């Protein structure tokens, strides 16, 4: 009601005024020129772990800077990642997202490595990210660097389909207090206070922040009607960064609560519930840089604690990281770099609805890499040889090499190609835990115990059975691309890939059982109809359960194309991205459960994604942004149709600060983006929404 009566009219009025002749001065000298994008000057470090111009990188890279983040209108970090070609970001519910690169989309995506300042933030439980907990305020992010494709030679195991490195602001060269306050109908309340300055008369700069945000629940599509959800969530964060000389210290503590609405299956209980998931944690991070002659050295260390009362599995972990790397320009036109890292995790899992087991274990991971970039022909042909050796206690040693070649066709145009090997090592849950999945995979007709020949249809639920001999999933990848800056402000970047995955994890079905309301199990005897052996009239049969042992037995091939283009003239800018991904199973499966699980991995990814953003800086302190985006339909499960949506953002700069109005998902009343039937997440609906934001800078 607040949105319809107040925010939408304000947004419409602001947009109309910003585009009116009164706001757009006839004299273009009064318009604010946007800073031209220049690929020749844009440097990133994610590809080789040292700074390089994007035109010198033989990989599919993309950078989202603070200006992109601010003008996207996004409030949550995963939504910012929608800006990146090749990434599929789908909101599962109010507090959960699926984020993947080049296919294999899932709530528990495990082939994408996510870092904050080079520090991994993925969960050892499923090798993915808890996006509601593991985050930083968007205003604290300087830029986000993304590799689509393997980065395992430099970053180690699990950097399979991509690497995301979120880089926060240094405390140096900024001073003052800033307050940000926003309110809306979906993101109901958000507050951020940040302060930067010097510690006394010392040369230590600091940047501190306090954030609180509260997000309302989304509606849910039950299949027959739209009902109000119960998946609201809130989180508070306190953080600080300190810099002096070549030292960097950073810490954050956070605490929150989320309520993902989810169907649960355990010990005879079947039902949709929304249980509190309290989470808390924090980390401390230290980094130092120094030079010895012509070589640059970096050493960083971190410790992090994370605790979550999850519906599927209660998790508590304590992790540590030590990472050293160096880079040197060597004689003979060589750029040498190498490094070694250790990552240790002490994990404690307690039984919950997802598993009837508890585990307490410590794991250690090591990674060693070496790289040599060779200039074969002056200013034209570069060859990069990389090799990484990863050690994991579950699978021991894995070798992850990469060969990359780049040709400078002109000073502003480069062509590149790469062949790489990367592995996805088993997660703790796959090796240590039997997990109850709460999405029904099938139905079975049984004779009702004591029912005099009556029959009933029971849902069949899956239980993932651990495998302590599980091996790594292996990717062999071919990547290629062309990057061209036609002139400052006009550029395009096109990349293609062909990936072959082997030893992909699937399931081998075990015995089928009936489960009554008290959790008692009975063997299913096949027949027409089937019967629950040993069950009587007193047993109220709730569902059937089939175990699926995790095994490495399928091959999947993926191929695709990704395009990013920018066109900028004076005070306006257009940016477009397009992604096409094709996923094919290359294994003939006769096991019904294995086929079902493999189909899920293929069909939960969108084949096509498209994004178009327009920005304009107008006279009088007005700024206008529009973001049109499209996601193709998801073949599994039925009910997730393709959608096209539009966001609008209007900003007015005043002497006292900034007033911002944002409308999101404006083309439809609501739309779904994702359903994870395996894990019992029904389809939440993103509704048309809006928020107002005030920014107050104090010098």
């Amino acid at each position: 009601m607040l949105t319809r009566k107040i925010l939408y009219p304000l947004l419409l009025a602001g947009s109309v005024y910003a585009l009116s002749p009164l706001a757009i001065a006839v004299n273009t000298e009064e318009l604010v020129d946007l800073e031209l994008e220049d690929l020749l000057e844009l440097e990133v470090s994610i590809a080789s772990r040292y700074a390089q111009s994007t035109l010198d990188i033989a990989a599919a890279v993309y950078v989202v800077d603070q200006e992109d983040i601010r003008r996207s209108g996004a409030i949550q970090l995963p939504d910012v990642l929608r800006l990146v070609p090749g990434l599929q970001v789908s909101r599962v519910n109010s507090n959960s997202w699926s984020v993947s690169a080049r296919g294999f989309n899932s709530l528990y995506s495990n082939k994408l490595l996510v870092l904050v300042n080079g520090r991994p933030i993925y969960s050892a439980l499923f090798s993915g990210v808890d996006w509601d907990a593991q985050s930083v305020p968007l205003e604290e992010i300087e830029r986000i660097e993304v590799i689509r494709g393997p980065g395992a030679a430099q970053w180690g195991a699990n950097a399979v389909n991509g690497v995301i490195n979120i880089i926060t602001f240094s405390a140096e060269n900024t001073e003052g207090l800033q307050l940000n306050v926003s309110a809306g109908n979906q993101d109901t309340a958000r507050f951020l206070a940040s302060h930067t300055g010097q510690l006394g008369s010392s040369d230590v700069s600091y940047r501190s922040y306090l954030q609180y945000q509260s997000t309302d629940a989304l509606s849910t599509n039950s299949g027959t009607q739209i009902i109000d959800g119960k998946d609201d969530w809130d989180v508070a964060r306190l953080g600080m960064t300190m810099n002096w000389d070549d030292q960097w210290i950073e810490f954050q503590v956070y605490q929150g609560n989320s309520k993902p609405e989810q169907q649960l299956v355990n010990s005879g209980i079947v039902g949709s519930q929304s249980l509190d998931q309290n989470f808390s944690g924090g980390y401390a991070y230290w980094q130092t840089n120094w030079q010895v002659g012509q070589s640059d050295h970096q050493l960083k260390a971190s410790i992090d604690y994370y605790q979550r009362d999850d519906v599927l599995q209660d998790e508590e972990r304590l992790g540590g990281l030590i990472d050293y790397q160096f880079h040197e320009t060597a004689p003979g036109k060589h750029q040498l770099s190498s490094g070694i890292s250790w990552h240790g995790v002490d994990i404690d899992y307690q039984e919950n609805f997802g598993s009837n087991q508890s585990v307490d274990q410590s794991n250690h991971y090591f990674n060693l890499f070496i790289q040599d970039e060779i200039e074969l022909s002056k200013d034209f042909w570069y060859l990069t040889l990389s090799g990484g050796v990863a050690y994991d206690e579950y699978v021991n040693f894995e070798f992850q090499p990469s060969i990359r070649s780049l040709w400078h066709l002109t000073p502003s145009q480069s062509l590149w190609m790469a062949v790489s090997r990367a592995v996805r090592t088993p997660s703790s849950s796959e090796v240590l835990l039997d997990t109850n999945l709460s999405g029904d995979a099938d139905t079975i007709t049984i004779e009702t115990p004591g029912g005099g020949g009556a029959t009933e249809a029971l849902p069949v639920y899956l239980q993932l059975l651990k495998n302590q001999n599980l091996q790594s999933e292996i990717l062999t990848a071919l990547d290629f691309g062309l990057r061209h800056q036609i002139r400052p402000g006009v550029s395009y970047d096109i990349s293609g890939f062909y990936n072959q995955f082997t030893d992909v994890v699937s399931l081998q079905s075990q015995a089928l059982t009936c489960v009554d309301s008290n959790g008692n199990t009975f063997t299913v005897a096949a027949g027409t109809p089937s019967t629950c052996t040993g069950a009587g009239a007193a047993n109220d049969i709730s569902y059937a359960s089939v175990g699926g042992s995790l095994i490495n037995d399928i091959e999947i091939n993926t191929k695709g194309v990704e395009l990013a283009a920018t066109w900028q003239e004076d005070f306006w800018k257009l940016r477009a991205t397009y992604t096409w991904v094709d996923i094919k199973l290359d294994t003939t499966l006769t096991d019904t459960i294995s086929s079902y699980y493999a189909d899920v991995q293929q069909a939960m990814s969108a084949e096509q994604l498209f994004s178009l953003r327009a920005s304009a800086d107008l006279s009088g302190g007005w700024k206008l942004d529009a973001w049109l985006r499209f996601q193709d339909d998801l073949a599994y499960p039925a009910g997730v149709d393709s959608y096209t949506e539009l966001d609008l953002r209007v900003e007015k700069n005043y002497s006292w600060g900034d007033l911002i109005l944002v409308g999101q998902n404006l083309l439809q009343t609501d739309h779904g983006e994702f359903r994870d039937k395996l894990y019992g997440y029904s389809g939440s609906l993103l509704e048309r929404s809006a928020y107002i934001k005030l920014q107050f800078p104090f010098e």
Side-chain angles (χ1 to χ4, degrees), residues 220-336:
T220 301
N221 186 353
S222 67
T224 59
Q225 60 179 335
I226 306 302
I227 59 177
D228 292 335
K230 303 175 183 177
D231 53 346
D232 55 292
W233 64 293
D234 58 81
V235 63
R237 306 181 193 278
L238 174 66
M240 174 177 281
T241 298
M242 291 187 291
N243 304 104
W244 69 98
D245 298 330
D246 291 315
Q247 309 293 316
W248 181 304
I249 292 178
E250 177 182 335
F251 77 84
Q252 184 193 97
V253 292
Y254 55 87
Q255 183 171 359
N257 174 277
S258 62
K259 307 178 186 66
E261 190 158 359
Q262 182 176 10
Q263 179 168 277
L264 304 174
V265 178
N266 191 307
S267 300
I269 300 174
V270 180
S272 181
Q273 300 187 41
S274 183
L275 302 179
D276 282 349
Q277 294 190 13
N278 298 310
F279 58 86
S280 61
Y283 67 86
Y285 171 83
W286 168 75
Q287 174 185 309
T288 184
N289 301 280
W290 71 95
Q291 287 186 322
V292 177
Q294 298 298 313
S295 61
D296 298 311
H297 300 255
Q298 182 184 90
L299 178 65
K300 55 189 175 186
S302 69
I303 185 170
D304 65 272
Y305 171 79
Y306 180 61
Q307 181 274 333
R308 189 183 192 96
D309 300 325
D310 195 275
V311 172
L312 290 179
Q313 190 73 49
D314 290 347
E315 177 184 6
E316 184 177 15
R317 71 174 184 261
L318 180 66
L321 171 74
I322 300 175
D323 182 282
Y324 165 78
Q325 68 179 67
F326 99 99
H327 166 248
E328 180 179 22
T329 301
K333 301 180 180 180
H334 292 263
Q335 296 285 338
L336 298 175

Side-chain angles (χ1 to χ4, degrees), residues 663-680:
Q664 297 174 315
N665 303 311
L666 298 177
L667 297 185
Q668 304 177 59
T669 303
D670 54 55
H671 73 274
E673 294 188 350
F674 192 82
R675 295 176 67 189
D676 199 324
K677 194 177 179 184
L678 274 177
Y679 288 89

Side-chain angles (χ1 to χ4, degrees), residues 592-647:
T592 303
I593 297 302
S594 182
S595 298
Y596 173 78
Y597 194 72
D599 289 343
V600 169
Q601 296 198 61
Q602 291 183 86
M604 292 174 78
S605 300
E607 183 176 355
Q608 297 184 85
L609 301 167
F610 174 74
S611 170
L612 176 64
R613 291 183 292 147
S615 300
D617 281 13
L618 308 175
S619 60
W622 288 94
K623 296 181 180 180
L624 183 64
D625 299 276
W627 185 7
L628 183 72
R629 59 185 185 277
F630 166 81
Q631 176 181 292
D632 214 344
D633 63 328
L634 306 185
Y636 168 86
V640 182
D641 298 325
S642 63
Y643 70 86
T644 302
E645 276 298 359
L646 173 69
D647 295 353

Side-chain angles (χ1 to χ4, degrees), residues 461-476:
Y461 296 102
L462 290 175
Q463 184 184 44
L464 302 185
L465 303 179
K466 63 179 179 288
N467 182 353
Q468 296 183 352
N469 296 315
L470 203 64
Q471 298 301 303
S472 298
E473 298 179 340
I474 301 172
L475 165 65
T476 303

Side-chain angles (χ1 to χ4, degrees), residues 93-224:
N93 53 40
S94 178
N95 48 63
S96 302
W97 289 260
S98 65
V99 181
S100 64
R102 296 183 170 180
F104 294 93
N105 196 35
S106 167
L107 176 61
Y108 300 105
S109 299
N110 54 21
K111 297 176 178 62
L112 180 66
L113 181 64
V114 183
L115 313 164
V116 175
N117 295 323
R119 177 183 61 86
I121 62 172
Y122 68 89
S123 167
L125 180 64
F126 62 96
S127 297
V129 177
D130 290 316
W131 292 102
D132 54 352
Q134 303 286 347
S135 187
V136 293
L138 297 185
E139 292 83 355
E140 297 299 309
I141 299 174
E142 179 182 353
R143 66 186 187 277
I144 302 173
E145 299 180 356
V146 181
I147 291 178
R148 292 108 60 205
Q154 292 77 23
W155 296 102
N158 300 328
V160 178
N161 275 352
V163 184
I164 299 172
N165 192 20
I166 301 161
I167 301 171
T168 59
F169 278 110
S170 166
E172 298 176 337
N173 303 321
T174 58
E175 285 192 13
L177 171 68
Q178 178 150 339
L179 299 178
N180 296 288
V181 182
S182 63
N185 65 322
Q186 174 58 43
D187 294 286
T188 51
R190 188 171 180 271
F191 169 82
L192 174 69
S194 62
H195 187 266
T196 57
Q198 301 288 123
L199 287 180
S201 59
S202 68
D203 59 354
V204 178
S205 302
Y206 70 88
R207 184 182 181 95
S208 60
Y209 62 84
L210 172 66
Q211 182 194 43
Y212 171 78
Q213 67 178 52
S214 176
T215 304
D216 201 5
L218 296 177
S219 297
T220 301
N221 186 353
S222 67
T224 59

Side-chain angles (χ1 to χ4, degrees), residues 35-43 54-55 485 487-489:
E35 184 177 351
L36 290 176
E37 287 189 356
D38 192 340
L39 291 180
L40 300 176
E41 297 181 358
L42 181 61
E43 290 191 339
T54 55
L55 282 172
Q485 178 168 289
R487 61 174 173 79

Side-chain angles (χ1 to χ4, degrees), residues 539-551:
N539 300 113
D540 180 18
I541 303 299
S542 300
Y543 59 89
S545 176
V546 59
S549 297
L550 295 169
I551 56 173

